[in-house]
């Protein structure tokens, strides 16, 4: 689960990691009061969306006067911000962070991530931080250093020094960095993060180190033990169909293709997406209705697939085990009755109560195409 910059900075404050002082607003009318409270100039107005590259897209504005702050807030809140991470459709900005501006002397890059290859946590750092880090990574990867932390041993003092030397730090900043890095590591582990990125980590003209930007990704599977972090969830930032699916407790991912599919079991769902592609079409989604799905779950899943405007046809592939084929069929018929299905349906069913399931579908009056096996199903749905 991604969280907003201002939420990540709240966590940073808790772990005593220096961040600029700021206030979040949801309405441009609140800008004046926020600026007055901060009582400092310049101020920075920053769009809060779950995507980077905001600076280049016009979502970050350095303001010299309170009037400029108001103007920037009016422009930013409500704008559709397009960055290299949002896709062409962009993201509508609902909140802005107003922060005390810093006089920047150096911009560094610092990140931590779960490194599967080394089964540990990796620190990445570069003295070439700022808005062009992607270019640095592509053209001069040697400017990015990486350090592997053994999760059993935790971060060691020598590794902090190694990172600090790699960033060419010296004197008081070296010290600040060596104190900050273990705190960040603790945050990373305690909050079950999968990614932490500070770009830029800045050294201000007065020699202080602070996190000017903050990006955190928290492992969604850990949220049951972090109710405080779970409250950071922002439905506005999630694909609307995925948000709806999450509220139904369905495992659904929108993939942008045209062939919707409903499958029981994640492995079978992956195989189904493969054969759809093999047959020359693109899957519109991943949807695992699960082993013990009820009629209601199937109905909800079906509703979500049908709500996707790109869907031209639906492939239902069920291997009846714990989920009986007749239960699935009932769910499909109920959902279809409520919403109306205008696209062709190809059904392949095998296993428990498959005959009964097919009968329910056949008697439903739905426009159905039955398939004898998986390959046949894929070919039929790809040529509709
Ligand atoms: P991103 O583009 O989404 O990564 O947003 P950032 O928070 O990283 O801001 C983009 C850029 O705006 C930074 O790299 C800085 O160069 C600039 N910026 C942000 N805050 C300040 C500030 O307080 N002072 C100055 N001088 N520049 C800032
Ligand atoms: Mn940034």
């Amino acid at each position: 689960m991604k969280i907003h910059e201002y939420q990540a900075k709240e966590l940073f404050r808790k772990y005593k990691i220096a961040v600029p002082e700021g206030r979040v607003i949801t309405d441009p009318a609140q800008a004046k009061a926020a600026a007055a409270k901060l009582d400092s100039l310049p101020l920075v107005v920053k769009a809060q969306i779950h995507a980077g590259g905001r600076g280049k897209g016009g979502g970050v504005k350095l303001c010299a006067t309170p009037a400029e702050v108001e103007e920037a807030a009016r422009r930013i809140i409500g704008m559709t911000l397009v960055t290299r991470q949002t896709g062409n459709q962009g993201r509508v900005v609902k909140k802005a962070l107003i922060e005390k501006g810093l006089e920047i002397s150096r911009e560094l890059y610092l990140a931590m991530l779960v490194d599967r290859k080394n089964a540990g946590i990796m620190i990445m750092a570069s003295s070439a931080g700022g808005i062009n880090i992607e270019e640095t990574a592509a053209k001069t990867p040697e400017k990015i250093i990486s350090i592997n932390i053994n999760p059993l041993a935790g971060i060691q003092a020598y590794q902090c020094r190694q990172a600090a030397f790699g960033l060419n730090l010296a004197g008081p900043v070296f010290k600040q960095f060596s104190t900050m890095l273990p705190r960040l590591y603790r945050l990373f582990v305690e909050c079950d993060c999968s990614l932490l990125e500070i770009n830029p980590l800045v050294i201000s003209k007065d020699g202080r180190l602070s996190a000017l930007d903050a990006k955190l990704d928290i492992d969604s599977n850990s949220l049951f033990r972090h109710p405080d972090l779970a409250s950071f969830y922002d439905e506005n930032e999630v694909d609307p169909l995925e948000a709806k699916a999450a509220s139904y407790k369905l495992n659904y991912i929108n993939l942008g293709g045209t062939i919707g599919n409903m499958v029981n079991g994640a492995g079978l769902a992956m195989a189904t997406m493969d054969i759809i592609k093999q047959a020359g079409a693109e899957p519109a989604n991943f949807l695992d209705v699960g082993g013990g799905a009820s009629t209601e779950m199937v109905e909800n899943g079906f509703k979500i697939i049908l709500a996707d405007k790109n869907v031209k046809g639906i492939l239902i592939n069920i291997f009846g085990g714990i989920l009986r084929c007749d239960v699935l069929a009932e769910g499909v018929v109920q959902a279809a009755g409520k919403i109306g299905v205008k696209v062709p349906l190809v059904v392949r069913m095998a296993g428990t109560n498959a005959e009964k399931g097919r009968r329910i579908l056949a008697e439903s009056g739905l426009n159905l195409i039955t398939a004898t096996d998986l390959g046949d199903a894929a070919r039929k749905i790809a040529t509709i």
Side-chain angles (χ1 to χ4, degrees), residues 110-143:
L110 181 66
M112 287 183 190
L113 46 104
V114 174
D115 179 24
R116 285 157 197 258
K117 206 169 109 214
N118 292 298
I121 293 166
M122 184 157 88
I123 295 179
M124 291 176 78
S126 176
S127 53
I131 55 178
N132 293 318
I133 189 71
E134 280 84 2
E135 220 176 294
T136 304
K139 289 188 185 150
T140 47
E142 68 280 1
K143 285 193 183 157

PDB file of all heavy atoms in Angstrom, residues 110-143:
ATOM      1  N   LEU A 110      18.271   8.664  -1.402  1.00  0.00           N
ATOM      2  CA  LEU A 110      18.413   7.567  -0.444  1.00  0.00           C
ATOM      3  C   LEU A 110      17.175   6.684  -0.501  1.00  0.00           C
ATOM      4  O   LEU A 110      16.047   7.188  -0.478  1.00  0.00           O
ATOM      5  CB  LEU A 110      18.584   8.131   0.976  1.00  0.00           C
ATOM      6  CG  LEU A 110      18.775   7.093   2.079  1.00  0.00           C
ATOM      7  CD1 LEU A 110      20.096   6.345   1.931  1.00  0.00           C
ATOM      8  CD2 LEU A 110      18.726   7.768   3.456  1.00  0.00           C
ATOM      9  N   ALA A 111      17.385   5.381  -0.598  1.00  0.00           N
ATOM     10  CA  ALA A 111      16.239   4.469  -0.629  1.00  0.00           C
ATOM     11  C   ALA A 111      16.552   3.182   0.117  1.00  0.00           C
ATOM     12  O   ALA A 111      17.718   2.823   0.302  1.00  0.00           O
ATOM     13  CB  ALA A 111      15.875   4.147  -2.084  1.00  0.00           C
ATOM     14  N   MET A 112      15.502   2.540   0.600  1.00  0.00           N
ATOM     15  CA  MET A 112      15.626   1.187   1.160  1.00  0.00           C
ATOM     16  C   MET A 112      14.561   0.343   0.508  1.00  0.00           C
ATOM     17  O   MET A 112      13.440   0.820   0.286  1.00  0.00           O
ATOM     18  CB  MET A 112      15.368   1.195   2.673  1.00  0.00           C
ATOM     19  CG  MET A 112      16.476   1.808   3.467  1.00  0.00           C
ATOM     20  SD  MET A 112      16.160   1.708   5.230  1.00  0.00           S
ATOM     21  CE  MET A 112      17.482   2.782   5.784  1.00  0.00           C
ATOM     22  N   LEU A 113      14.916  -0.882   0.203  1.00  0.00           N
ATOM     23  CA  LEU A 113      13.916  -1.762  -0.382  1.00  0.00           C
ATOM     24  C   LEU A 113      14.186  -3.213  -0.016  1.00  0.00           C
ATOM     25  O   LEU A 113      15.286  -3.558   0.405  1.00  0.00           O
ATOM     26  CB  LEU A 113      13.877  -1.583  -1.908  1.00  0.00           C
ATOM     27  CG  LEU A 113      15.202  -1.558  -2.638  1.00  0.00           C
ATOM     28  CD1 LEU A 113      15.430  -2.866  -3.335  1.00  0.00           C
ATOM     29  CD2 LEU A 113      15.201  -0.416  -3.639  1.00  0.00           C
ATOM     30  N   VAL A 114      13.152  -4.024  -0.176  1.00  0.00           N
ATOM     31  CA  VAL A 114      13.317  -5.448   0.070  1.00  0.00           C
ATOM     32  C   VAL A 114      13.961  -6.035  -1.173  1.00  0.00           C
ATOM     33  O   VAL A 114      13.431  -5.917  -2.265  1.00  0.00           O
ATOM     34  CB  VAL A 114      11.955  -6.128   0.346  1.00  0.00           C
ATOM     35  CG1 VAL A 114      12.125  -7.639   0.465  1.00  0.00           C
ATOM     36  CG2 VAL A 114      11.337  -5.554   1.608  1.00  0.00           C
ATOM     37  N   ASP A 115      15.135  -6.618  -0.977  1.00  0.00           N
ATOM     38  CA  ASP A 115      15.886  -7.163  -2.102  1.00  0.00           C
ATOM     39  C   ASP A 115      15.738  -8.682  -2.082  1.00  0.00           C
ATOM     40  O   ASP A 115      16.307  -9.376  -1.250  1.00  0.00           O
ATOM     41  CB  ASP A 115      17.358  -6.755  -1.954  1.00  0.00           C
ATOM     42  CG  ASP A 115      18.205  -7.314  -3.077  1.00  0.00           C
ATOM     43  OD1 ASP A 115      17.650  -7.601  -4.152  1.00  0.00           O
ATOM     44  OD2 ASP A 115      19.421  -7.448  -2.873  1.00  0.00           O
ATOM     45  N   ARG A 116      14.912  -9.188  -3.011  1.00  0.00           N
ATOM     46  CA  ARG A 116      14.621 -10.624  -3.014  1.00  0.00           C
ATOM     47  C   ARG A 116      15.865 -11.455  -3.294  1.00  0.00           C
ATOM     48  O   ARG A 116      16.041 -12.525  -2.749  1.00  0.00           O
ATOM     49  CB  ARG A 116      13.564 -10.932  -4.063  1.00  0.00           C
ATOM     50  CG  ARG A 116      12.189 -10.507  -3.617  1.00  0.00           C
ATOM     51  CD  ARG A 116      11.280 -10.276  -4.797  1.00  0.00           C
ATOM     52  NE  ARG A 116      10.131  -9.495  -4.357  1.00  0.00           N
ATOM     53  CZ  ARG A 116       8.942 -10.016  -4.119  1.00  0.00           C
ATOM     54  NH1 ARG A 116       8.733 -11.291  -4.271  1.00  0.00           N
ATOM     55  NH2 ARG A 116       7.944  -9.255  -3.713  1.00  0.00           N
ATOM     56  N   LYS A 117      16.720 -10.933  -4.172  1.00  0.00           N
ATOM     57  CA  LYS A 117      17.894 -11.698  -4.583  1.00  0.00           C
ATOM     58  C   LYS A 117      18.782 -12.011  -3.383  1.00  0.00           C
ATOM     59  O   LYS A 117      19.278 -13.121  -3.237  1.00  0.00           O
ATOM     60  CB  LYS A 117      18.680 -10.894  -5.634  1.00  0.00           C
ATOM     61  CG  LYS A 117      19.497 -11.790  -6.553  1.00  0.00           C
ATOM     62  CD  LYS A 117      20.054 -11.021  -7.730  1.00  0.00           C
ATOM     63  CE  LYS A 117      21.546 -10.865  -7.584  1.00  0.00           C
ATOM     64  NZ  LYS A 117      22.040  -9.601  -8.126  1.00  0.00           N
ATOM     65  N   ASN A 118      18.972 -11.012  -2.527  1.00  0.00           N
ATOM     66  CA  ASN A 118      19.833 -11.217  -1.372  1.00  0.00           C
ATOM     67  C   ASN A 118      19.049 -11.566  -0.110  1.00  0.00           C
ATOM     68  O   ASN A 118      19.620 -11.662   0.970  1.00  0.00           O
ATOM     69  CB  ASN A 118      20.679  -9.970  -1.112  1.00  0.00           C
ATOM     70  CG  ASN A 118      21.692  -9.752  -2.217  1.00  0.00           C
ATOM     71  OD1 ASN A 118      22.560 -10.585  -2.428  1.00  0.00           O
ATOM     72  ND2 ASN A 118      21.545  -8.661  -2.946  1.00  0.00           N
ATOM     73  N   ALA A 119      17.750 -11.703  -0.246  1.00  0.00           N
ATOM     74  CA  ALA A 119      16.886 -12.001   0.894  1.00  0.00           C
ATOM     75  C   ALA A 119      17.186 -11.070   2.056  1.00  0.00           C
ATOM     76  O   ALA A 119      17.388 -11.496   3.192  1.00  0.00           O
ATOM     77  CB  ALA A 119      17.020 -13.466   1.308  1.00  0.00           C
ATOM     78  N   GLY A 120      17.277  -9.796   1.755  1.00  0.00           N
ATOM     79  CA  GLY A 120      17.560  -8.825   2.799  1.00  0.00           C
ATOM     80  C   GLY A 120      17.043  -7.459   2.421  1.00  0.00           C
ATOM     81  O   GLY A 120      16.255  -7.320   1.472  1.00  0.00           O
ATOM     82  N   ILE A 121      17.495  -6.470   3.169  1.00  0.00           N
ATOM     83  CA  ILE A 121      17.090  -5.104   2.879  1.00  0.00           C
ATOM     84  C   ILE A 121      18.264  -4.397   2.230  1.00  0.00           C
ATOM     85  O   ILE A 121      19.406  -4.523   2.693  1.00  0.00           O
ATOM     86  CB  ILE A 121      16.639  -4.386   4.168  1.00  0.00           C
ATOM     87  CG1 ILE A 121      15.347  -5.045   4.667  1.00  0.00           C
ATOM     88  CG2 ILE A 121      16.434  -2.889   3.925  1.00  0.00           C
ATOM     89  CD1 ILE A 121      14.975  -4.689   6.067  1.00  0.00           C
ATOM     90  N   MET A 122      17.997  -3.720   1.137  1.00  0.00           N
ATOM     91  CA  MET A 122      19.070  -3.041   0.427  1.00  0.00           C
ATOM     92  C   MET A 122      18.936  -1.539   0.582  1.00  0.00           C
ATOM     93  O   MET A 122      17.831  -0.995   0.476  1.00  0.00           O
ATOM     94  CB  MET A 122      19.032  -3.418  -1.037  1.00  0.00           C
ATOM     95  CG  MET A 122      20.177  -2.826  -1.818  1.00  0.00           C
ATOM     96  SD  MET A 122      20.494  -3.787  -3.292  1.00  0.00           S
ATOM     97  CE  MET A 122      19.412  -3.036  -4.425  1.00  0.00           C
ATOM     98  N   ILE A 123      20.069  -0.892   0.854  1.00  0.00           N
ATOM     99  CA  ILE A 123      20.100   0.564   0.878  1.00  0.00           C
ATOM    100  C   ILE A 123      20.685   1.015  -0.449  1.00  0.00           C
ATOM    101  O   ILE A 123      21.694   0.469  -0.903  1.00  0.00           O
ATOM    102  CB  ILE A 123      20.990   1.073   2.034  1.00  0.00           C
ATOM    103  CG1 ILE A 123      20.369   0.688   3.373  1.00  0.00           C
ATOM    104  CG2 ILE A 123      21.204   2.583   1.945  1.00  0.00           C
ATOM    105  CD1 ILE A 123      21.171   1.114   4.569  1.00  0.00           C
ATOM    106  N   MET A 124      20.046   1.984  -1.059  1.00  0.00           N
ATOM    107  CA  MET A 124      20.608   2.570  -2.279  1.00  0.00           C
ATOM    108  C   MET A 124      20.797   4.054  -2.020  1.00  0.00           C
ATOM    109  O   MET A 124      19.935   4.699  -1.422  1.00  0.00           O
ATOM    110  CB  MET A 124      19.665   2.382  -3.459  1.00  0.00           C
ATOM    111  CG  MET A 124      19.567   0.928  -3.877  1.00  0.00           C
ATOM    112  SD  MET A 124      18.378   0.697  -5.172  1.00  0.00           S
ATOM    113  CE  MET A 124      19.342   1.255  -6.547  1.00  0.00           C
ATOM    114  N   ALA A 125      21.921   4.583  -2.449  1.00  0.00           N
ATOM    115  CA  ALA A 125      22.187   5.999  -2.202  1.00  0.00           C
ATOM    116  C   ALA A 125      22.967   6.586  -3.358  1.00  0.00           C
ATOM    117  O   ALA A 125      23.705   5.876  -4.048  1.00  0.00           O
ATOM    118  CB  ALA A 125      22.978   6.165  -0.904  1.00  0.00           C
ATOM    119  N   SER A 126      22.756   7.874  -3.567  1.00  0.00           N
ATOM    120  CA  SER A 126      23.506   8.545  -4.618  1.00  0.00           C
ATOM    121  C   SER A 126      23.659  10.016  -4.272  1.00  0.00           C
ATOM    122  O   SER A 126      22.755  10.635  -3.708  1.00  0.00           O
ATOM    123  CB  SER A 126      22.789   8.415  -5.958  1.00  0.00           C
ATOM    124  OG  SER A 126      23.488   9.148  -6.939  1.00  0.00           O
ATOM    125  N   SER A 127      24.839  10.550  -4.606  1.00  0.00           N
ATOM    126  CA  SER A 127      25.027  11.978  -4.361  1.00  0.00           C
ATOM    127  C   SER A 127      24.380  12.788  -5.475  1.00  0.00           C
ATOM    128  O   SER A 127      24.267  13.999  -5.396  1.00  0.00           O
ATOM    129  CB  SER A 127      26.512  12.325  -4.221  1.00  0.00           C
ATOM    130  OG  SER A 127      27.196  11.827  -5.332  1.00  0.00           O
ATOM    131  N   ALA A 128      23.909  12.079  -6.541  1.00  0.00           N
ATOM    132  CA  ALA A 128      23.227  12.781  -7.637  1.00  0.00           C
ATOM    133  C   ALA A 128      21.721  12.661  -7.473  1.00  0.00           C
ATOM    134  O   ALA A 128      21.027  12.118  -8.324  1.00  0.00           O
ATOM    135  CB  ALA A 128      23.675  12.205  -8.978  1.00  0.00           C
ATOM    136  N   GLY A 129      21.189  13.155  -6.345  1.00  0.00           N
ATOM    137  CA  GLY A 129      19.749  13.073  -6.096  1.00  0.00           C
ATOM    138  C   GLY A 129      19.000  14.169  -6.823  1.00  0.00           C
ATOM    139  O   GLY A 129      19.590  14.978  -7.532  1.00  0.00           O
ATOM    140  N   GLY A 130      17.665  14.177  -6.654  1.00  0.00           N
ATOM    141  CA  GLY A 130      16.849  15.199  -7.293  1.00  0.00           C
ATOM    142  C   GLY A 130      15.981  14.621  -8.390  1.00  0.00           C
ATOM    143  O   GLY A 130      15.885  13.402  -8.538  1.00  0.00           O
ATOM    144  N   ILE A 131      15.400  15.527  -9.167  1.00  0.00           N
ATOM    145  CA  ILE A 131      14.361  15.090 -10.092  1.00  0.00           C
ATOM    146  C   ILE A 131      14.876  14.306 -11.302  1.00  0.00           C
ATOM    147  O   ILE A 131      14.093  13.796 -12.073  1.00  0.00           O
ATOM    148  CB  ILE A 131      13.488  16.288 -10.574  1.00  0.00           C
ATOM    149  CG1 ILE A 131      14.363  17.381 -11.184  1.00  0.00           C
ATOM    150  CG2 ILE A 131      12.677  16.872  -9.429  1.00  0.00           C
ATOM    151  CD1 ILE A 131      13.576  18.554 -11.729  1.00  0.00           C
ATOM    152  N   ASN A 132      16.212  14.207 -11.461  1.00  0.00           N
ATOM    153  CA  ASN A 132      16.733  13.468 -12.614  1.00  0.00           C
ATOM    154  C   ASN A 132      17.343  12.120 -12.256  1.00  0.00           C
ATOM    155  O   ASN A 132      18.156  11.579 -12.991  1.00  0.00           O
ATOM    156  CB  ASN A 132      17.756  14.318 -13.373  1.00  0.00           C
ATOM    157  CG  ASN A 132      17.096  15.510 -14.023  1.00  0.00           C
ATOM    158  OD1 ASN A 132      16.003  15.393 -14.585  1.00  0.00           O
ATOM    159  ND2 ASN A 132      17.726  16.670 -13.928  1.00  0.00           N
ATOM    160  N   ILE A 133      16.898  11.549 -11.121  1.00  0.00           N
ATOM    161  CA  ILE A 133      17.528  10.311 -10.656  1.00  0.00           C
ATOM    162  C   ILE A 133      17.346   9.154 -11.645  1.00  0.00           C
ATOM    163  O   ILE A 133      18.237   8.318 -11.804  1.00  0.00           O
ATOM    164  CB  ILE A 133      17.022   9.923  -9.236  1.00  0.00           C
ATOM    165  CG1 ILE A 133      17.838   8.764  -8.648  1.00  0.00           C
ATOM    166  CG2 ILE A 133      15.545   9.585  -9.226  1.00  0.00           C
ATOM    167  CD1 ILE A 133      19.243   9.111  -8.259  1.00  0.00           C
ATOM    168  N   GLU A 134      16.214   9.117 -12.351  1.00  0.00           N
ATOM    169  CA  GLU A 134      15.987   8.035 -13.322  1.00  0.00           C
ATOM    170  C   GLU A 134      17.057   8.077 -14.419  1.00  0.00           C
ATOM    171  O   GLU A 134      17.536   7.053 -14.876  1.00  0.00           O
ATOM    172  CB  GLU A 134      14.591   8.130 -13.952  1.00  0.00           C
ATOM    173  CG  GLU A 134      13.473   7.587 -13.079  1.00  0.00           C
ATOM    174  CD  GLU A 134      12.966   8.595 -12.066  1.00  0.00           C
ATOM    175  OE1 GLU A 134      13.475   9.746 -12.067  1.00  0.00           O
ATOM    176  OE2 GLU A 134      12.079   8.236 -11.276  1.00  0.00           O
ATOM    177  N   GLU A 135      17.401   9.310 -14.826  1.00  0.00           N
ATOM    178  CA  GLU A 135      18.420   9.483 -15.848  1.00  0.00           C
ATOM    179  C   GLU A 135      19.776   9.003 -15.329  1.00  0.00           C
ATOM    180  O   GLU A 135      20.522   8.330 -16.038  1.00  0.00           O
ATOM    181  CB  GLU A 135      18.502  10.972 -16.182  1.00  0.00           C
ATOM    182  CG  GLU A 135      18.691  11.264 -17.649  1.00  0.00           C
ATOM    183  CD  GLU A 135      18.667  12.768 -17.877  1.00  0.00           C
ATOM    184  OE1 GLU A 135      17.587  13.359 -17.660  1.00  0.00           O
ATOM    185  OE2 GLU A 135      19.721  13.326 -18.226  1.00  0.00           O
ATOM    186  N   THR A 136      20.085   9.351 -14.081  1.00  0.00           N
ATOM    187  CA  THR A 136      21.338   8.905 -13.469  1.00  0.00           C
ATOM    188  C   THR A 136      21.391   7.381 -13.461  1.00  0.00           C
ATOM    189  O   THR A 136      22.406   6.782 -13.822  1.00  0.00           O
ATOM    190  CB  THR A 136      21.444   9.431 -12.015  1.00  0.00           C
ATOM    191  OG1 THR A 136      21.314  10.840 -12.053  1.00  0.00           O
ATOM    192  CG2 THR A 136      22.762   9.053 -11.381  1.00  0.00           C
ATOM    193  N   ALA A 137      20.278   6.763 -13.044  1.00  0.00           N
ATOM    194  CA  ALA A 137      20.244   5.302 -12.955  1.00  0.00           C
ATOM    195  C   ALA A 137      20.465   4.670 -14.328  1.00  0.00           C
ATOM    196  O   ALA A 137      21.126   3.638 -14.452  1.00  0.00           O
ATOM    197  CB  ALA A 137      18.911   4.846 -12.378  1.00  0.00           C
ATOM    198  N   ALA A 138      19.936   5.308 -15.377  1.00  0.00           N
ATOM    199  CA  ALA A 138      20.057   4.743 -16.719  1.00  0.00           C
ATOM    200  C   ALA A 138      21.423   4.997 -17.332  1.00  0.00           C
ATOM    201  O   ALA A 138      22.013   4.104 -17.938  1.00  0.00           O
ATOM    202  CB  ALA A 138      18.960   5.319 -17.619  1.00  0.00           C
ATOM    203  N   LYS A 139      21.947   6.218 -17.160  1.00  0.00           N
ATOM    204  CA  LYS A 139      23.178   6.589 -17.868  1.00  0.00           C
ATOM    205  C   LYS A 139      24.447   6.381 -17.065  1.00  0.00           C
ATOM    206  O   LYS A 139      25.486   6.028 -17.626  1.00  0.00           O
ATOM    207  CB  LYS A 139      23.090   8.061 -18.300  1.00  0.00           C
ATOM    208  CG  LYS A 139      22.074   8.245 -19.421  1.00  0.00           C
ATOM    209  CD  LYS A 139      22.130   9.651 -19.979  1.00  0.00           C
ATOM    210  CE  LYS A 139      21.035   9.856 -21.017  1.00  0.00           C
ATOM    211  NZ  LYS A 139      20.595  11.242 -21.067  1.00  0.00           N
ATOM    212  N   THR A 140      24.388   6.656 -15.767  1.00  0.00           N
ATOM    213  CA  THR A 140      25.596   6.523 -14.948  1.00  0.00           C
ATOM    214  C   THR A 140      25.290   5.738 -13.670  1.00  0.00           C
ATOM    215  O   THR A 140      25.348   6.276 -12.566  1.00  0.00           O
ATOM    216  CB  THR A 140      26.175   7.913 -14.572  1.00  0.00           C
ATOM    217  OG1 THR A 140      25.081   8.743 -14.107  1.00  0.00           O
ATOM    218  CG2 THR A 140      26.858   8.592 -15.728  1.00  0.00           C
ATOM    219  N   PRO A 141      24.948   4.447 -13.852  1.00  0.00           N
ATOM    220  CA  PRO A 141      24.544   3.648 -12.681  1.00  0.00           C
ATOM    221  C   PRO A 141      25.638   3.557 -11.612  1.00  0.00           C
ATOM    222  O   PRO A 141      25.349   3.292 -10.452  1.00  0.00           O
ATOM    223  CB  PRO A 141      24.218   2.274 -13.283  1.00  0.00           C
ATOM    224  CG  PRO A 141      24.830   2.255 -14.629  1.00  0.00           C
ATOM    225  CD  PRO A 141      24.903   3.671 -15.091  1.00  0.00           C
ATOM    226  N   GLU A 142      26.895   3.812 -12.018  1.00  0.00           N
ATOM    227  CA  GLU A 142      27.975   3.729 -11.024  1.00  0.00           C
ATOM    228  C   GLU A 142      27.857   4.827  -9.969  1.00  0.00           C
ATOM    229  O   GLU A 142      28.475   4.758  -8.910  1.00  0.00           O
ATOM    230  CB  GLU A 142      29.354   3.766 -11.713  1.00  0.00           C
ATOM    231  CG  GLU A 142      29.743   5.087 -12.385  1.00  0.00           C
ATOM    232  CD  GLU A 142      29.103   5.280 -13.766  1.00  0.00           C
ATOM    233  OE1 GLU A 142      28.331   4.407 -14.210  1.00  0.00           O
ATOM    234  OE2 GLU A 142      29.366   6.335 -14.392  1.00  0.00           O
ATOM    235  N   LYS A 143      27.022   5.842 -10.249  1.00  0.00           N
ATOM    236  CA  LYS A 143      26.836   6.903  -9.260  1.00  0.00           C
ATOM    237  C   LYS A 143      25.845   6.498  -8.157  1.00  0.00           C
ATOM    238  O   LYS A 143      25.560   7.263  -7.252  1.00  0.00           O
ATOM    239  CB  LYS A 143      26.313   8.174  -9.950  1.00  0.00           C
ATOM    240  CG  LYS A 143      27.394   8.897 -10.741  1.00  0.00           C
ATOM    241  CD  LYS A 143      26.938  10.275 -11.121  1.00  0.00           C
ATOM    242  CE  LYS A 143      27.989  10.979 -11.971  1.00  0.00           C
ATOM    243  NZ  LYS A 143      27.385  12.031 -12.784  1.00  0.00           N
TER     244      LYS A 143
END
